Every structure is written in structure tokens, then in C-alpha cells.
Amino acid sequence: MVRLLRAILTLPAALALFLLLLDCLVETASEFNPYEVLGVTKSASHAEIKRAYKQLAKQWHPDKNKDPGAEDMFIKITKSYQILSNEEMRMNYDRHGWMDEGAAREQPQHGFRHFHDSFYFDESFFHFPRASRDFADSKYMLRYAEYVRDVVPDSFKRPYLIKITSDWCFTCVHIEPAWREAVQELEALGVGIGVVDVGEERRLANQLGAHRTPSILGLINGKVTFFHYAVVKEHLRQFVEDLLPQRLVEKVTDRNYLDFLNSWYEENKPHVLLFDQVPAVPLLYRLAAFTYKDYVRFGYVDQGLTETADLQQRLNINTYAPTMLLFKENTEKPADIIQAKGMKKQIVDEFISANRFLLVPRLVNQKLFDELCPVKQFHRRRKYCVLLITGAGESFAPRNDAFLAFASANTKEVLRFAYVYKESQQPLCDALLKNKESVPPQVVILERRNAAGKVLYRAVTGGWNGSEEDKYRLQEQLDLLQKDPSFLHYDATLPELNNEFASMFLIQWMYSAYDYLSQMVEDLLQRNWREMMPLLSLIFSALFILFGTVIIQAFSDPSEEKQPKAKGKEAPKAEERSEGSADPSSRPPKKDFVEVTELTDITYTSNLVKLRPGHINVVVVLTDASKNVLLSKFAKEVYSFTRSSTLHYSFLNVDKHREWMDALMELAPDAMRADGEEDDAPHGADYTGYVLALNGHKRYFCLFKPVYTGDDLDGRPPGEGGAAGGRPRSGWREEQPRKPHPRPASSTLQIHHKLDRLGLWMEHLMEGTLPRHYIPAWPSPDKITARK
């Protein structure tokens, strides 16, 4: 009873205390006024509000102001600017008081609910922020390995906007609405989005230089830039625009449009013109220009300017929708055009990627050659490259134009047309033009076989003068190639192309240095010293190393450097004397390309009999006199196949082990027959230059016989000797039947030509198209023992 009375007496006091606290909270909530926080009137313009916000943000930034209440004041300033910079939120506040974004679209509420919406910290003040962090952050979560492997290389094609957050970050909740709104807009334009959780990816956060949460940073070309302004959608969009280089898009008017379009010849790129009525270049267009900067040159035409009226009339541009025109070699007529009111990223990407090459581009570097003429894949359709080898003078212009006209009329996907200047790509032209007397222009049809530079090709006979007869002859050979791929019977290894734009690297470097210095000055004004410590440490370290080197050289004795130089000059002379006196045949073979072991009675079991299933031992047969030359040639021919783990390489000295070779040939007499020739006497045959592919598990071998591709005594053209195992291509045997003639003796064959076409034979070996000679058992190892 007494306890009940005490409870009744204390109930009014508790109720009065609760009402007093509630009144204090309501007064506190009612005191939050964004106009008072920014110090502006209700009639202030957007420019006045922005100016006041910038001044207060610099004054109360937590990194610069060490006052304990600086962070809370900075949050209020940011939230006030977010309200007043948005017209809809400002109008709702002026009518009903401030509400959150969800309630701003509904009717105003009163009482305690209105207080809850007006209270600045919202629900995150009473709840843990982890429960309030929705918006599918897991979709954009970055891991360290993913960042290094995918994001950094991709930042050279598009910028990234990355947010640094954590599970117990109260401030992260307040920037979530603006972040969500900005991401929805920027991601649709092609900006990459990422979120890094400091609690899970501390290593990645440290690499990015993010030491506090929340932080927002941009990544472009592998370089990180921090965002220092209020988290508002407009600021984030402007931040992304500032990340992009300034010289991506050129402003085009009536005065410079001809210079812009005619620069395709020097830049070797198509040109794109965008017509729109906004004065600034749209962000979507700038992002596309950054993505395809290596392929296409971009220009922008403001339709609202009087300086562009003649250009619009000339090209018959519709002013009611954005229009994009793409020009190639013909500057009078666009090669492609799109027009749409709502220009989307997917439409722009498909339009540019389908036209990123000229009709007949000039091969100026290896990257363009790889993309224009890709390597032949077994599971893909063949692609042939029709290459014009010409010159840069005015005398070549009519014939180059004729080649362009021919390429414009042949739009088959299997054919790619290109041209090179012989003086700029001399090594490439020397590899394709075997006849040194051939002068440009010449047309060569080629097919790339592997990434190491292996190609099959054939030059069009008669050269290229641009006449109707030349066009008919080229079209006839292209039609024949479609029916018979063996039409390309020459093979060569092409060197890497020279980079003709390497001289422009200095200008590009100067532009990049200017952008970097400008960004560094801005960072010095915006960042705190803790974030600038890595850059300052790098600068001081470089200066210390530079001055240290200068001091060491200043105090070093010059006489100490002269003596080693004198000794160094004497050493090569002694080496030359020793090399000159030695017999050239006694020099050790070069093994710079592939590891080759000798097949003897000791290695007989491991390299042949007990060879693992599926493995093949490729053995070159040689003599003591031809050992060095054939080993060097053999290593160069099989070097591109050393990546295969199933191939092993050996050599067999026929001077020591001729009995084993005779026994092997007797077990497979068909191996010594080629194209109906008479059987060689097994015990009198010259095995020098033979190559055996031995499968020890299935007991069969494939045979390569020496093929001479140089100028032999019979005057046969190169390549007639066959591609694999001494057999010519079937297509050429039908077109040009060979006359019977005796096989040249080995003495007439130059040793270094014996292994010509071995690389092509190895390709057929990998494809499994070579004839296989099965034997009941391998010859006894006693026949491989050296005779004493």
C-alpha cells in the first residue's frame, strides 16, 4: 500500500520532467534555421547562398578549425546549403519548415512527428548508422585485388567516384541521400562507382590515402584526387567534370571546322561533331571523348552561336535534337549520323565503336596493327589484311586515292584495308618484299598466324598503279583467296612496327605535367598537411638523391675513373685476338632461345621410351660440322612453341649414332618417300637437317626433311619445296606442276637453309595434320651407343 502511494506521488513529477525535456528538444529543433546558419535572408539569390556557404565551409572545416564544435557546425552548414540550393526543398521549407526528402513530397505533418523531421540528426542520432545504410552499397564494394586488377586499368578509359565509409560513421548517413542521387545520374553517364569499407579494406583505404570517414575521391588515369566540398549532387557532378582533361573536345565554329575535319590525315583518326544548343559541352560527350581518345577526335558545335550558323546550314542540321556526325576520309559527307533527343551512353558507345577506324588507316604503331589485323584464331573466321606499301610524296597521291576508292567498294567483314609508308616502316616492308628491286606502291595480302609475328602472305603481281586493270587483278586474287586459303603460300616473321607518333610524346608529356602541377597547387590549397606528406616526402627524397650524387661526383678523384677505362679497352682487344685465332667451327652453340639436350644411350629411356603420354620429343639430326649452325637455326624456328609444356627438344649426332637412324628408317620405309620420289638407300642417305617428332608412348614419329627456300640451281621460287615434311601445298601443285628434276646434293644446299619452313611444319604438328609413321618398337639402345 505504501509503495503504491509513493508511485502515485512521484508520477506527476516524472510527467513534468518528461514534458520539460520535450519542450527543450522542440525549442532546439525549432532553432535550426538554414538561413540563419548561412547568414543570408530569405530573398537571397543562389549565387549569394553559394558564396556564403564557401566562406563558412572554409572557416569551419574540421581539418582547419580545431574547435570542438567545428564538426557539428560544418555539418549544419552543409545541410543548410543542401536545403537552400535545391529549389524544391527550399520552397517546402519556406512553406512548412524543413523536412527530409521522403516527407518533402507528402503533406506537412505536425506535432512530435514534425519535430522528428525537423531535428537535424534525424534517425541516425538515436540509431546505429549500420541499420540506416541501405542503397545497395554492396553492389559497389571494392576489394584490394579487384581495385588493382580491374579499377586502376579501367580508370584510363573512364573516371571513378569512390566513397570511403565505415559501419560506425554517423556523418556517413547524412551524405547518403546526396550520394545516392549523384550515383544514379553519373553511373548512367558512364562514371565508375566504388565504395570502400575501412573496417574490411584497411589496406585499400591506406593506399588511397583516405584517413577519415566519410571521404569521397576521384580516380582517373591511375591518379587519386580528393573531393573537398559539400556532398551535393551538383558539386559531385562538377567534381567529375574537373577530373577530365580540358583538351578532350575542341570547340568548332564556321572559321575552324575545315581545319578540324581535314586533320584526319595527320592524326590518322575519324572525327566526330556533336551539335547541341547548350553552351557547355555535355558531360556524356566528354566522357565518351575520354573513352575513345586514342581512336577518334571529338568536336562540339554550339547551335546557339551565330558563328556556327553557316556550318549548320551546310550540313543541314536539325536544331530540335542533338545530332552527332562522324567523318572519315571524305570531309564533305559524313560516314555515319545519329540524332536523338535523349542521347544515351549505349547509343553513343555503339555509334563510335563501330566507326573507330578509317576506311584505310595508316599503320603507325603495333597496337593499331594488332586491332586492325588480329591474329587468326581456330574458332573464329579468318581475317585478311590487304596492305598497300607506298610513299608519302605527292607522286603517290593518285595511286593512294585509287586504293581508297577500291577499299570503299569492298566492305566485306573478312577484309581489312590499310597502308604503310615504306620510309617509316622499313623493317616491315623488307620482310614482306623479298625482291629488293620491288619499288612502291605494292599490294600485299597477309594473314597473321600468331602473336610472335608469324604471317602467311602473297604480293599482288604487277605492283599497284591504280588502273582499272590493277583493280581487276586485285579483286580476282581476293576472290580466289576466299575459295582457297592456301593461296597465301609465303611465310615470314614480321618485326614490331615503329611508333610514328613517338615524337608527339613530348607534347603530351608537357600537357600532362601542366595538368598535374595545376592539380597539385589546388591540392596544396585544399588538403591538409597529413594528406600531402607522401608527395612532399617523394619530392624531398628526389632532391636529396640529386644533391647527394652531385656532391659525390664533386669530391671523387677523376684519375680513378681513367684507369678502369684503359683496362676496359685492352680487354676487348685481347678477346678479339683470341676469337680471331680460334676456329669458327669450335665455338660453342648458342642456347639463347630454347634448352636442347643431346639424345644418347644415357638419355634414351627418359627422353623417348618412358616419355609421358601426350608428350613429344622434337629431335634435330646434325653432324659435328653442322652442329653450331643447325642448333642456332633450330632454336630460332621452335622458339615460339616453347610455351607448350608437352614439347621437348633434343639433337642427335648422326656421326655417332647413324646406325640408330638407319634402323629407324628401315622400320618405316614410307617415311623416306616424298612426292613419288625413289627410295633413298637407308645406309647412304644424308640425314643432316632432318627433324623427328617422336611420340614414345604411342610409338610413332613425324618426319621433316630439309627444304631449301633460297636460290638453288634449278631456279625454283621460294616456297615451292613444300610446307611440311618436304611436301608442297596441294593448291600450288595443281596450278604449277613441277618438272621432274634430281634432288640437289647436300653439298649444294647451304646449311643454314636446311631448316627453312620448320616453323610452319611445327604449326602442322601442333594441329595434328602431319602424317604419322608407326613402328612396332623403338630401335635398341645399343644402336645409339657411340662407336669407339
Side-chain angles (χ1 to χ4, degrees):
M1 190 64 180
V2 176
R3 294 180 178 178
L4 181 60
L5 291 175
R6 290 181 179 177
I8 294 174
L9 292 175
T10 55
L11 182 61
L15 183 59
L17 180 61
F18 174 78
L19 293 176
L20 180 61
L21 292 174
L22 181 61
D23 183 68
C24 293
L25 291 175
V26 172
E27 290 178 1
T28 304
S30 63
E31 292 176 358
F32 178 73
N33 187 332
Y35 292 103
E36 294 179 0
V37 172
L38 296 181
V40 296
T41 61
K42 288 191 175 183
S43 60
S45 63
H46 179 72
E48 294 175 349
I49 294 173
K50 186 175 182 180
R51 191 183 308 112
Y53 161 73
K54 285 188 175 181
Q55 294 177 355
L56 292 174
K58 291 181 180 180
Q59 178 183 354
W60 291 98
H61 198 284
D63 292 339
K64 298 182 179 180
N65 195 326
K66 302 304 180 181
D67 190 278
E71 184 175 358
D72 294 338
M73 187 62 185
F74 183 79
I75 295 174
K76 289 183 179 182
I77 294 171
T78 304
K79 205 66 176 180
S80 300
Y81 180 75
Q82 182 179 358
I83 297 169
L84 300 183
S85 62
N86 189 297
E87 296 295 334
E88 183 180 358
M89 295 179 65
R90 182 178 181 181
M91 182 176 58
N92 288 332
Y93 175 81
D94 293 339
R95 292 180 180 179
H96 313 293
W98 179 77
M99 297 177 294
D100 58 11
E101 291 182 357
R105 302 180 182 88
E106 302 176 358
Q107 296 295 331
Q109 302 177 9
H110 304 281
F112 183 77
R113 179 64 181 174
H114 182 264
F115 148 73
H116 184 270
D117 291 337
S118 300
F119 187 58
Y120 175 69
F121 286 99
D122 202 43
E123 295 179 351
S124 63
F125 184 82
F126 302 100
H127 302 293
F128 292 116
R130 181 167 186 164
S132 301
R133 194 179 62 183
D134 42 12
F135 183 46
D137 270 355
S138 58
K139 174 183 176 181
Y140 307 102
M141 281 294 179
L142 294 179
R143 305 296 179 187
Y144 179 83
E146 178 187 2
Y147 171 81
V148 175
R149 183 186 66 250
D150 301 329
V151 176
V152 173
D154 195 37
S155 68
F156 289 85
K157 297 181 180 179
R158 61 170 178 166
Y160 271 80
L161 196 64
I162 302 176
K163 180 180 70 171
I164 311 298
T165 183
S166 63
D167 290 337
W168 309 104
C169 174
F170 289 90
T171 314
C172 300
V173 181
H174 299 290
I175 69 172
E176 188 67 24
W179 170 262
R180 175 170 61 248
E181 189 178 359
V183 166
Q184 290 175 352
E185 177 182 351
L186 296 176
E187 188 179 20
L189 298 177
V191 179
I193 306 298
V195 177
V196 178
D197 192 327
V198 177
E200 299 178 2
E201 288 293 333
R202 172 66 65 179
R203 180 184 179 186
L204 177 56
N206 292 335
Q207 179 169 342
L208 294 174
H211 304 291
R212 60 185 179 87
T213 56
S215 295
I216 296 178
L217 54 91
L219 178 69
I220 187 170
N221 290 332
K223 179 179 177 293
V224 176
T225 304
F226 277 83
F227 176 78
H228 298 287
Y229 300 99
V231 184
V232 184
K233 183 187 72 173
E234 291 77 9
H235 287 180
L236 291 173
R237 180 188 176 94
Q238 185 63 41
F239 175 66
V240 173
E241 292 187 5
D242 294 339
L243 288 176
L244 297 171
Q246 299 299 321
R247 287 166 291 275
L248 283 174
V249 182
E250 181 179 351
K251 292 292 185 69
V252 179
T253 61
D254 296 337
R255 289 178 293 181
N256 67 339
Y257 86 95
L258 286 177
D259 296 335
F260 174 78
L261 294 180
N262 290 329
S263 61
W264 69 267
Y265 181 77
E266 293 80 9
E267 298 179 359
N268 198 37
K269 297 178 182 178
H271 284 56
V272 176
L273 277 178
L274 174 66
F275 293 80
D276 205 347
Q277 294 184 345
V278 295
V281 182
L283 180 57
L284 173 63
Y285 193 60
R286 294 189 62 194
L287 290 170
F290 180 74
T291 302
Y292 298 97
K293 60 183 180 296
D294 295 333
Y295 302 96
V296 182
R297 183 80 168 109
F298 292 83
Y300 179 72
V301 181
D302 183 4
Q303 294 177 297
L305 298 177
T306 58
E307 293 84 355
T308 61
D310 294 342
L311 179 58
Q312 298 177 52
Q313 184 178 3
R314 179 187 295 271
L315 298 176
N316 194 17
I317 300 300
N318 185 359
T319 59
Y320 297 101
T323 306
M324 190 176 294
L325 305 179
L326 187 137
F327 295 85
K328 293 188 178 181
E329 286 88 347
N330 187 2
T331 59
E332 299 294 332
K333 182 180 179 181
D336 203 351
I337 179 174
I338 58 172
Q339 188 176 37
K341 284 189 175 181
M343 198 79 72
K344 302 296 183 183
K345 178 182 181 299
Q346 182 179 0
I347 298 176
V348 175
D349 288 343
E350 292 177 355
F351 175 75
I352 298 178
S353 61
N355 299 279
R356 66 182 187 274
F357 297 119
L358 295 171
L359 292 176
V360 185
R362 185 171 81 254
L363 298 183
V364 294
N365 51 44
Q366 187 66 32
K367 178 183 177 183
L368 179 60
F369 186 37
D370 294 339
E371 295 186 8
L372 195 66
C373 303
V375 176
K376 181 244 179 184
Q377 301 291 338
F378 294 106
H379 60 282
R380 295 182 182 176
R381 191 178 181 183
R382 296 173 180 266
K383 289 186 181 296
Y384 300 101
C385 190
V386 184
L387 185 63
L388 173 66
I389 301 176
T390 181
E394 291 293 336
S395 60
F396 297 96
R399 288 170 280 188
N400 297 346
D401 294 339
F403 186 77
L404 173 61
F406 180 85
S408 302
N410 289 267
T411 58
K412 295 181 180 179
E413 182 63 24
V414 71
L415 297 177
R416 299 289 178 85
F417 294 86
Y419 72 98
V420 295
Y421 289 150
K422 185 176 181 180
E423 57 269 19
S424 301
Q425 303 292 342
Q426 189 68 42
L428 173 70
C429 300
D430 292 341
L432 294 176
L433 300 178
K434 295 294 185 181
N435 188 2
K436 302 303 181 181
E437 298 179 356
S438 300
V439 294
Q442 298 286 335
V443 177
V444 178
I445 307 173
L446 60 90
E447 178 191 11
R448 300 186 64 191
R449 301 305 301 269
N450 56 34
K454 197 79 172 184
V455 296
L456 294 179
Y457 73 97
R458 182 180 178 180
V460 179
T461 58
W464 177 262
N465 294 318
S467 62
E468 294 298 328
E469 182 182 356
D470 292 341
K471 294 180 181 179
Y472 177 79
R473 187 188 309 112
L474 177 58
Q475 185 64 50
E476 184 181 19
Q477 296 194 11
L478 290 176
D479 295 339
L480 179 61
L481 179 63
Q482 298 288 324
K483 300 177 182 179
D484 184 14
S486 63
F487 177 76
L488 305 179
H489 66 288
Y490 294 95
D491 65 275
T493 301
L494 301 183
E496 185 173 351
L497 270 68
N498 301 326
N499 187 4
E500 298 182 18
F501 289 159
S503 58
M504 299 179 60
F505 173 76
L506 181 60
I507 300 177
Q508 297 175 358
W509 181 85
M510 293 175 61
Y511 285 149
S512 301
Y514 174 77
D515 294 337
Y516 184 78
L517 291 176
S518 301
Q519 186 65 38
M520 186 174 65
V521 172
E522 182 180 355
D523 291 343
L524 286 173
L525 298 177
Q526 298 291 342
R527 293 185 180 183
N528 56 16
W529 287 104
R530 182 180 179 183
E531 294 176 353
M532 290 300 299
M533 282 303 296
L535 178 60
L536 295 176
S537 176
L538 178 62
I539 294 175
F540 282 113
S541 299
L543 293 176
F544 178 79
I545 295 174
L546 178 62
F547 285 110
T549 305
V550 173
I551 292 174
I552 292 175
Q553 292 181 352
F555 286 96
S556 61
D557 188 5
S559 60
E560 296 179 359
E561 300 179 358
K562 297 181 180 179
Q563 296 178 357
K565 290 182 179 180
K567 294 180 179 179
K569 293 180 180 179
E570 295 176 359
K573 293 182 179 179
E575 185 178 353
E576 291 176 0
R577 290 193 300 267
S578 62
E579 291 180 357
S581 60
D583 186 8
S585 61
S586 62
R587 295 175 184 174
K590 295 182 179 179
K591 292 186 179 182
D592 298 338
F593 300 94
V594 62
E595 184 69 22
V596 183
T597 59
E598 184 176 4
L599 185 63
T600 62
D601 56 338
I602 300 176
T603 60
Y604 174 81
T605 302
S606 59
N607 288 1
L608 181 59
V609 179
K610 293 187 178 181
L611 203 63
R612 286 182 291 178
H615 287 239
I616 295 177
N617 192 2
V618 182
V619 182
V620 58
V621 183
L622 45 80
T623 61
D624 291 332
S626 62
K627 180 178 180 180
N628 297 316
V629 178
L630 287 182
L631 272 182
S632 178
K633 181 70 173 179
F634 177 74
K636 292 179 181 179
E637 291 291 330
V638 303
Y639 175 67
S640 58
F641 302 93
T642 53
R643 295 183 179 179
S644 175
S645 59
T646 60
L647 293 181
H648 309 274
Y649 304 98
S650 303
F651 70 90
L652 180 71
N653 194 329
V654 74
D655 291 339
K656 303 177 182 179
H657 315 305
R658 184 178 184 85
E659 295 181 3
W660 189 86
M661 278 294 299
D662 293 339
L664 181 65
M665 294 297 106
E666 289 177 357
L667 293 176
D670 294 340
M672 297 298 294
R673 297 192 184 98
D675 298 333
E677 296 178 359
E678 296 297 332
D679 292 351
D680 292 330
H683 296 281
D686 180 15
Y687 299 120
T688 305
Y690 281 37
V691 178
L692 305 170
L694 308 176
N695 190 318
H697 180 70
K698 293 186 177 181
R699 292 194 297 276
Y700 73 82
F701 68 92
C702 302
L703 178 64
F704 171 85
K705 300 176 69 175
V707 177
Y708 182 59
T709 59
D711 298 330
D712 66 2
L713 299 176
D714 297 327
R716 289 182 296 171
E720 190 178 345
R727 302 191 178 200
R729 293 181 176 268
S730 59
W732 283 101
R733 194 187 310 129
E734 295 173 1
E735 293 181 17
Q736 301 176 358
R738 294 188 306 175
K739 299 179 180 180
H741 55 275
R743 181 187 304 172
S746 61
S747 59
T748 65
L749 294 176
Q750 300 183 20
I751 295 178
H752 65 274
H753 282 306
K754 282 182 173 287
L755 296 183
D756 286 349
R757 294 190 177 274
L758 177 60
L760 195 59
W761 182 82
M762 290 291 296
E763 290 187 13
H764 288 287
L765 175 65
M766 298 298 294
E767 295 172 358
T769 58
L770 293 178
R772 300 178 179 179
H773 308 288
Y774 288 87
I775 58 177
W778 296 109
S780 176
D782 58 354
K783 296 182 179 295
I784 206 170
T785 304
R787 291 176 295 179
K788 298 182 180 178

